[in-house]
Amino acid sequence: MDLRHAASLSTTPAARDALAPEPATLAHWERTLQRANAALRMDQPVMALAYQQQALVLALRIVQAPPAGREDDCIAALVVSHLNLADLQAEAGALDESAQLLCSVHATLLGLMADGSRGAALQQAAWRQSRETHAALLRHVQAHGAHPDTTAVLAGARGVLRGTAH
């Protein structure tokens, strides 16, 4: 299976709903991430990609209702999942998909920072992790050139960050 085709499977609603019959927890996310890393060590990139996609789905679910006091861990899981998957995509030559993942996570964090209804702890966690995603976007642009999505999300971030005092 081509990695580019496999990557597109994670974005379909059916793929999200079919994954992980057990509840989405940080422990489940961690086990899935460990499986992805093991697949990489065994030189199984398609399997690693599938596990990274599952980890991303879990992280997205966890962030929807983070356990109290674990907001930092939940946001970190979201960021790690996006960055790992973006790295795999870039290594496979799927630069558009990689850029889109980086933009998606950065935009998600910016949205959380601006959404007062999600709670201060989640907002602060998003603020702290946004430095990582911002740096990842800049590294991607430096390594692969400008992409319309990265240009747009970086420009949009300036507006959000001007209005946020942390």
Side-chain angles (χ1 to χ4, degrees):
M1 175 187 285
D2 181 285
L3 283 180
R4 291 177 205 209
H5 175 69
S8 68
L9 297 177
S10 69
T11 60
T12 65
R16 287 188 193 125
D17 294 340
L19 290 173
E22 63 185 275
T25 64
L26 283 166
H28 187 194
W29 173 83
E30 209 168 275
R31 285 190 305 275
T32 305
L33 188 65
Q34 289 168 351
R35 289 179 183 124
N37 291 334
L40 280 175
R41 285 191 300 275
M42 294 185 303
D43 197 29
Q44 298 290 323
V46 174
M47 184 182 296
L49 180 69
Y51 280 125
Q52 287 293 359
Q53 290 169 332
Q54 288 179 8
L56 176 57
V57 170
L58 291 168
L60 288 165
R61 289 180 183 170
I62 293 165
V63 167
Q64 292 305 309
R70 301 291 309 269
E71 292 87 358
D72 278 317
D73 296 330
C74 295
I75 295 296
L78 183 70
V79 170
V80 166
S81 292
H82 276 88
L83 297 184
N84 286 351
L85 195 50
D87 285 347
L88 285 175
Q89 294 292 5
E91 289 171 19
L95 298 179
D96 282 346
E97 291 86 349
S98 178
Q100 289 168 0
L101 283 161
L102 296 173
C103 291
S104 174
V105 69
H106 196 62
T108 298
L109 295 182
L110 294 172
L112 288 171
M113 289 164 45
D115 184 358
S117 71
R118 296 299 306 267
L122 201 64
Q123 284 180 298
Q124 291 169 0
W127 172 260
R128 283 187 289 277
Q129 289 292 326
S130 71
R131 290 178 280 210
E132 292 295 322
T133 59
H134 183 85
L137 280 164
L138 294 176
R139 283 191 303 272
H140 189 276
V141 169
Q142 184 178 16
H144 306 291
H147 183 280
D149 293 342
T150 58
T151 302
V153 79
L154 287 169
R158 285 190 286 275
V160 170
L161 295 175
R162 277 189 212 116
T164 308
H166 287 267

